[in-house]
Amino acid sequence: MSIPHTIRVLVICSAALVACSKPDPSATVAVAPVASAAQGSLPDAPPVVPVMAAPVAAEHAAGKRVFDKTCGLCHGAGVGGAPRPGDKANWAPRIAQGTDTLYRHALEGFSGATSYMPARGGAAVTDGEVKAGVDYMVSLSR
């Protein structure tokens, strides 16, 4: 087995294990008081107001759920060359290939010169869930 192949296998196995794990509900995350630190450093700075993320369009709600559960493990950080949602330059040539090609690569897997996509993201998801995840990422990247 070659080193690149071994790395691909490790990435797929890691993604599958993470996708199947359940978060610890008792775990807490400490958040530093960023707003007060920012205001304290600039006396004339306006107050910092937290901004809520834009709501997801109803037709992409299922895709966001799949992205959060599965797709985001690689696409959120660009693992294995996965294009990050919103990176229009990286997504443009993929989108130009058409939706059917995007679906096929996501469903069956794909190994290109600069990226690797395991079939179904290495997870046990339905065809519809995979397509919804693709649609969601494309909607953020047009």
Side-chain angles (χ1 to χ4, degrees):
M1 200 180 316
S2 67
I3 296 298
H5 181 65
T6 304
I7 291 171
R8 287 182 183 163
V9 170
L10 288 173
V11 168
I12 293 169
C13 291
S14 297
L17 286 173
V18 171
C20 294
S21 66
K22 294 185 180 181
D24 180 4
S26 65
T28 58
V29 177
V31 177
V34 175
S36 62
Q39 289 174 356
S41 63
L42 300 171
D44 296 330
V48 177
V49 178
V51 178
M52 297 296 290
V56 175
E59 68 267 19
H60 296 298
K64 181 172 181 355
R65 281 191 302 275
V66 174
F67 177 84
D68 290 344
K69 181 179 87 174
T70 303
C71 309
L73 297 171
C74 294
H75 285 275
V79 173
R84 298 178 74 174
D87 182 351
K88 295 178 183 196
N90 205 346
W91 273 95
R94 291 168 168 90
I95 293 171
Q97 294 178 38
T99 306
D100 289 339
T101 299
L102 290 173
Y103 289 159
R104 188 176 65 252
H105 288 172
L107 289 166
E108 299 172 7
F110 175 78
S111 184
T114 60
S115 62
Y116 176 75
M117 171 72 200
R120 299 176 185 277
V125 290
T126 66
D127 287 7
E129 289 172 320
V130 170
K131 290 177 180 180
V134 169
D135 291 343
Y136 173 70
M137 289 186 284
V138 167
S139 77
L140 298 175
S141 306
R142 288 195 180 267

